[in-house]
Structures are given as C-alpha cells and as structure tokens.
Amino acid sequence: MSSSFVGAPLKILTPSASSIKVSPHDKLPWGRGLSVSATWLECKAVADAPNIPLSLAYGLWSDRELVPNWMPWITSVKVLKETPEFSEWTLKYTAFGRDLEFSWLSKQLTPIVNQKIQWRSVDGVPNRGAVRFFPRGPNGCKVEMTLTYQCPDILVPVMASLSPLVENIIQADMDRFVDYATKVKDTQSVRIM
C-alpha cells in the first residue's frame, strides 16, 4: 500500500465549500489478498488560543496519551514503551444503531519542536496528519490540525458529502483542546502562587 500522493491533490467542493481534498488513487488492502482502489481525503481545523503559550499547546499535543481529553471519539492512545515513536489508537462510536470500533498503530514522525507534530499509520485504519503551531501575540498561539484518511473509492461520494460533519467534529475537538489547555494553564498558575 502506498501512502504517498500521486500527482497534485484535487479539491472536492461540497455545498458547504468544505476543505476536503482528494488525492488520486492508491490501493487499500481489503480481505484476503484483495485490494480496492482508494483515495486520500483531507480535513482541517484551526483553533485560536490567544491565552495559551505555544510551548504549552505543543507539550499537550506531544503527550499523545492526553489526546482523548479533547477528542472523545478517540477512546484510547497507548504509547509503546519499547518503541515510544509508535502508539496504538482506538476510535469508538455509534452509528446506525451499532457500536463501531477501529484501531491502528501510528508512528510519530520527527517533530519540529514548538512548530509541528506529524504522524502516519503503519497498521490498521490508513491515516496521517499533522498538528502545526503558530505564535499569536506575546502569550498565545494558533493550532492547526490536518487529518488525512484513506477511503475506498466507492465511498468517496458519501464521505465527501459527510465532510462538513467530519470537519465540525474536528473543529469541536480543537475548541475542546483550547478549553483543556486553559484549564491546564490555570492549574499551573495556581501551583506557582
């Protein structure tokens, strides 16, 4: 399975002008030695955190096991002790009256301290992404998350139509991150006093 883009990403415009992007076809393993043509879809969300120091935001995202605190659909993240660049992720949700669970093994790629954290899955649900940090004023930052996941081509029209929902979920996660980071900052301020 290739995880690289082939050619330039194409942008799908849905009625809500979502920023979902589609890259040309890769093969997605499916069942016993079969493969299905698949496409990479991308969503973005941004959080302005004018009162959260960039180093605090970066530190919280760097601790992958904290992520379920602001992304409730991620039920667990476990960093592997023997190889800490790898982590096991579990996603659980209910859809159409059924409880669904997906998991994957992710590799953290070389971070750029206080600027970027990035990852890619190496097993399970095919995905990759990055969280970027930008200074905003003397004591704040902006945090941008890009999440890219692979989808069988037959489901691309459905997923493209659902992209506003996916982006709303991710945006809500980023808003929860700012709330979580604010509580951590306030707790640290109380300890210092």
Side-chain angles (χ1 to χ4, degrees), residues 33-189:
L34 300 174
S35 64
V36 173
S37 187
T39 300
W40 287 95
L41 304 176
E42 179 180 280
C43 293
K44 286 187 179 184
V46 177
D48 282 317
N51 299 313
I52 304 300
L54 188 142
S55 60
L56 174 61
Y58 179 86
L60 291 171
W61 274 100
S62 293
D63 187 344
R64 290 163 282 165
E65 292 183 347
L66 291 177
V67 170
N69 287 299
W70 56 87
M71 295 181 122
W73 50 279
I74 301 291
T75 53
S76 71
V77 179
K78 295 180 183 169
V79 174
L80 304 183
K81 291 180 183 175
E82 59 281 355
T83 50
E85 69 273 17
F86 290 95
S87 51
E88 296 173 336
W89 293 66
T90 303
L91 174 156
K92 290 183 185 177
Y93 68 98
T94 301
F96 309 111
R98 300 188 63 139
D99 292 328
L100 303 171
E101 180 176 312
F102 299 95
S103 61
W104 62 93
L105 181 65
S106 182
K107 180 179 183 186
Q108 184 171 348
L109 305 176
T110 304
I112 302 171
V113 176
N114 290 334
Q115 292 181 33
K116 182 166 74 170
I117 296 168
Q118 54 189 346
W119 68 90
R120 67 176 173 83
S121 65
V122 294
D123 189 30
V125 176
N127 71 88
R128 60 182 176 228
V131 180
R132 291 176 177 83
F133 305 87
F134 304 93
R136 185 170 186 264
N139 299 312
C141 67
K142 177 175 92 169
V143 183
E144 177 184 280
M145 182 173 74
T146 304
L147 177 62
T148 308
Y149 55 95
Q150 203 171 30
C151 178
D153 283 345
I154 196 166
L155 296 178
V156 168
V158 173
M159 292 309 295
S161 68
L162 292 176
S163 67
L165 174 65
V166 173
E167 288 186 339
N168 285 340
I169 290 168
I170 294 170
Q171 186 60 56
D173 293 339
M174 296 299 284
D175 295 341
R176 274 189 294 274
F177 169 74
V178 172
D179 293 342
Y180 183 83
T182 299
K183 290 176 187 169
V184 169
K185 179 184 166 217
D186 292 347
T187 301
Q188 290 176 345
S189 297

